[in-house]
Amino acid sequence: MIEKRPTAAEFARYLRTETVGGMILLAATAIALIWVNSPISGTYTALRDFHLGPESLHLSLSVGDWAKDGLLAIFFFVAGLELKRELVVGELNDLKAAILPVVAAIGGMIVPAAVALAVGWGEPGVERAWAIPVATDIAFALGVLAITASGLPSSLRVFLLSLAVVDDLGAIVLIAVLFTATLNPVAALVAVALLALYAFLQHKRVTSPWLYVPVAVGTWVAVHEAGIHATIAGVALALLTRVRKDHYEHEAPAVRLEHRLQPWSAGLAVPLFALFAAGVPVNGEALGSLFTDRLALGVMLGLVVGKVIGIVGASALAVLFKAAVWPSGAGPRDIVAVAMLGGVGFTVSLLIADLALDGADAEQAKAAVLLASLTASLLAAVLLVRRSRVHQRADDDD
């Protein structure tokens, strides 16, 4: 009997699973850490800092910057598509259902930022670094949940997904506000014109990629040239994409694009960003300094402690004042376990650390993000396994 080889479609479907996406991201991070702390660390630095691209368009960027500004735009485009879908036809479309994850996300942004600001107060760079622990990594958090929480109600996955999407929206706004130093008005107008063209093409039901790809690339270049972080182009394009299908369509453009691009995002864009962002020197001295450097300590406490307090506290207040209800089949203890996953900052936190700080300070902050994300994921895994067993025993008793 001839063994059937997996097709490209099957491989793409494999990449779409949250567990696989999280594993690839973890592998890329491990490779970066091993590589940069090995005797051939010079090759890592040389590759990350190697410049390529047309100088005439101000696009002679390092490989690391291409991963951060270019490839990560794909991730933000996919995240934006998911956000638009949730807002229009998903969980966030119904106000009552959306209240809990939205309130939880807001609490999960404010408290970590306040913790980081309070701990790092007076340190150089804290005026921008407080934003580092605000974000939650969707792929990694959902990957940990998929591995450890098979017995938990599916409503908790929806809660975490909605929370992470709103969380990332907040992080995107912060990136746009905090890290736009100077604005090129001509390039900004070109970006707006191209976005208007994209919206017009969507309205006219144009489907040709020969039109959309140049418009999307042109928008990215214009946003980059305008001085705004280029990943914002991905979000803007996603929010202009149709999420309701017409009667003759098998699926809406947003669903179709997310289906096609999510494997590229999970299997290439995010791992390559992690490969070039997570390469920080790690030794006894460096690890020890994380607990004496107030900026790094603020980032770690913001992610591991601030996230849980913010998410659980905001959720409890929303339920107490009857503005929301706990997810179906779940209770406060389940929310605590899921809230711990909010401390897995990773992708967006590493991006903000890169944008907010320079040199040794950036490396210190990124090391803090990696250690805090690892700690949060391990603690969350323990809590989720325990809660999963509790729910399974309850189901068995019924």
Side-chain angles (χ1 to χ4, degrees):
M1 184 177 177
I2 299 175
E3 185 179 352
K4 183 182 176 183
R5 292 185 178 181
T7 65
E10 288 170 339
F11 183 63
R13 187 164 56 250
Y14 181 67
L15 286 175
R16 286 187 195 98
T17 63
E18 288 140 5
T19 307
V20 174
M23 288 172 61
I24 296 173
L25 182 58
L26 184 61
T29 304
I31 291 170
L33 289 170
I34 292 170
W35 191 355
V36 84
N37 289 283
S38 73
I40 57 169
S41 60
T43 59
Y44 175 91
T45 306
L47 177 60
R48 184 193 62 195
D49 297 340
F50 180 76
H51 278 64
L52 67 159
E55 181 64 50
S56 58
L57 295 175
H58 301 123
L59 290 176
S60 178
L61 307 175
S62 69
V63 171
D65 284 338
W66 275 113
K68 179 175 65 179
D69 294 351
L71 287 177
L72 213 55
I74 299 173
F75 164 78
F76 275 101
F77 182 70
V78 173
L81 290 173
E82 193 154 17
L83 173 64
K84 176 76 177 285
R85 187 161 48 81
E86 289 293 334
L87 287 169
V88 177
V89 297
E91 290 291 325
L92 301 181
N93 181 45
D94 179 72
L95 183 61
K96 189 73 174 177
I99 286 292
L100 190 67
V102 170
V103 169
I106 292 171
M109 290 186 282
I110 292 174
V111 176
V115 169
L117 192 59
V119 175
W121 187 260
E123 291 291 306
V126 73
E127 67 278 359
R128 283 149 65 96
W130 59 265
I132 295 172
V134 161
T136 295
D137 190 281
I138 297 176
F140 210 105
L142 288 175
V144 174
L145 187 70
I147 294 170
T148 60
S150 57
L152 289 178
S154 59
S155 60
L156 285 172
R157 182 195 178 278
V158 175
F159 171 79
L160 177 62
L161 176 60
S162 302
L163 181 151
V165 166
V166 176
D167 199 300
D168 273 2
L169 176 62
I172 289 162
V173 171
L174 284 177
I175 289 171
V177 172
L178 293 178
F179 305 112
T180 301
T182 57
L183 184 67
N184 181 334
V186 175
L189 286 173
V190 171
V192 170
L194 288 170
L195 288 170
L197 175 59
Y198 181 91
F200 176 77
L201 294 173
Q202 284 286 296
H203 178 69
K204 290 298 183 180
R205 288 359 187 212
V206 175
T207 58
S208 173
W210 296 105
L211 286 173
Y212 282 116
V213 172
V215 169
V217 172
T219 302
W220 181 89
V221 172
V223 169
H224 183 275
E225 183 65 16
I228 304 168
H229 196 265
T231 52
I232 302 300
V235 181
L237 290 166
L239 294 178
L240 293 172
T241 305
R242 284 194 300 118
V243 295
R244 295 187 189 276
K245 67 173 185 171
D246 290 329
H247 64 89
Y248 57 84
E249 291 179 307
H250 177 64
E251 55 190 2
V255 176
R256 185 167 61 250
L257 283 168
E258 187 178 348
H259 185 77
R260 290 178 179 176
L261 292 177
Q262 205 278 334
W264 290 100
S265 173
L268 179 69
V270 175
L272 279 179
F273 166 75
L275 178 67
F276 292 111
V280 293
V282 177
N283 51 46
E285 183 180 347
L287 288 174
S289 65
L290 291 179
F291 298 93
T292 56
D293 183 292
R294 288 198 290 130
L295 211 59
L297 194 57
V299 169
M300 290 190 292
L301 290 175
L303 284 169
V304 178
V305 179
K307 276 287 184 182
V308 178
I309 293 173
I311 293 171
V312 176
S315 299
L317 286 173
V319 173
L320 178 65
F321 289 105
K322 303 189 184 306
V325 293
W326 298 117
S328 177
R333 293 183 182 181
D334 300 314
I335 296 298
V336 172
V338 172
M340 184 58 73
L341 282 175
V344 183
F346 225 81
T347 306
V348 183
S349 289
L350 288 174
L351 173 61
I352 296 176
D354 245 340
L355 296 173
L357 301 167
D358 298 311
D361 288 336
E363 289 190 347
Q364 190 87 331
K366 288 194 284 185
V369 169
L370 293 174
L371 183 58
S373 297
L374 175 63
T375 303
S377 61
L378 292 175
L379 290 174
V382 172
L383 293 173
L384 288 166
V385 168
R386 291 183 62 182
R387 294 307 303 161
S388 186
R389 287 174 180 170
V390 168
H391 280 274
Q392 286 174 335
R393 282 199 299 267
D395 291 341
D396 292 340
D397 290 342
D398 291 340

